[in-house]
Amino acid sequence: MKFPPNIILIGFMGAGKTSTGKELAEALNFEFLDIDQWIEEKNKKNIPEIFEECGESFFRDQEREAVKWAASKKRAVISTGGGLWLDEQNRSLLKTIGWCVWLKVGAQMAWKRVGTYLAHRPLLSRSQDPFNEMQKILGERDPVYALAHASFDSDGKNPKEVSREILGLLKEKKLFDLD
Ligand code: S3P
């Protein structure tokens, strides 16, 4: 099966979507797009401020708008926020514009990567027991992340290694027509 030449990275916080996305974009000579960054720039606020001042549902609306903007792109690696893929409308549109790749991460590794910087994770920072909350959300989301076209484990690997694995499959299966 061939896909339009875009890679969409989905998965939980701490899966390495941004860092792996940058590696992939460089290797393929694609543009790198970060949905959270687009929302922050558009609103001139960072993600915690948007959650605090405008609420989560406003943020989710912004994500839907960002997906529509990203849908016009070609030869892009698109890194998404951890909750964006849960929206059915976002999933359907993203699946038509490129190869959707789930970067899998386990609870321990996700915690190692995000637990020290909780102020930037509004879904966790408000909880009395952020680790427990993170495990709960991860457990609920994993079956939905599994609807992506492909998945790769990120536990214990650096972004370069994960990117190399993704590129390997991309080339082996000739998923894009790249001139
Ligand atoms: C969220 C993940 C964050 C960010 C927002 C909500 C989520 O992005 O979009 O805090 O719902 O999981 P990262 O996955 O890049 O941390």
Side-chain angles (χ1 to χ4, degrees):
M1 180 176 177
K2 297 277 183 203
F3 292 92
N6 291 307
I7 299 180
I8 298 98
L9 294 178
I10 67 133
F12 201 64
M13 298 174 243
K17 299 174 298 259
T18 301
S19 43
T20 306
K22 286 180 179 166
E23 290 287 343
L24 282 169
E26 196 184 324
L28 288 163
N29 200 20
F30 278 18
E31 184 182 3
F32 174 73
L33 306 171
D34 185 292
I35 297 282
D36 277 348
Q37 194 187 332
W38 184 86
I39 294 173
E40 290 185 329
E41 283 169 10
K42 177 168 173 275
N43 288 280
K44 300 186 176 61
K45 289 184 173 82
N46 66 29
I47 303 288
E49 286 167 345
I50 297 173
F51 270 71
E52 182 67 30
E53 294 170 26
C54 314
E56 182 173 352
S57 79
F58 173 84
F59 175 74
R60 299 300 174 197
D61 283 343
Q62 294 293 294
E63 286 188 314
R64 277 186 283 275
E65 211 178 294
V67 168
K68 286 182 195 144
W69 160 76
S72 63
K73 300 289 177 178
K74 288 231 164 57
R75 299 177 67 93
V77 178
I78 303 164
S79 167
T80 64
L84 181 147
W85 184 256
L86 302 184
D87 180 276
E88 210 264 314
Q89 197 183 313
N90 288 341
R91 283 201 302 276
S92 319
L93 184 51
L94 290 174
K95 280 185 155 188
T96 65
I97 66 150
W99 188 38
C100 297
V101 171
W102 172 26
L103 293 190
K104 292 171 86 167
V105 66
Q108 297 297 338
M109 185 57 71
W111 184 249
K112 211 169 147 189
R113 292 177 183 157
V114 307
T116 48
Y117 210 44
L118 279 184
H120 274 251
R121 316 284 172 171
L123 286 186
L124 304 178
S125 60
R126 287 174 293 186
S127 168
Q128 298 277 67
D129 184 348
F131 179 70
N132 212 32
E133 179 67 13
M134 191 199 72
Q135 274 189 306
K136 184 177 139 267
I137 304 174
L138 183 60
E140 287 164 0
R141 287 182 177 182
D142 271 0
V144 189
Y145 291 146
L147 300 171
H149 295 125
S151 67
F152 291 85
D153 280 318
S154 81
D155 275 21
K157 292 176 197 156
N158 66 42
K160 250 196 175 48
E161 290 169 317
V162 181
S163 154
R164 223 177 285 133
E165 284 182 24
I166 296 174
L167 291 169
L169 188 67
L170 186 65
K171 284 175 189 157
E172 182 196 321
K173 304 264 184 210
K174 298 186 173 59
L175 298 177
F176 295 159
D177 267 331
L178 293 176
D179 306 317

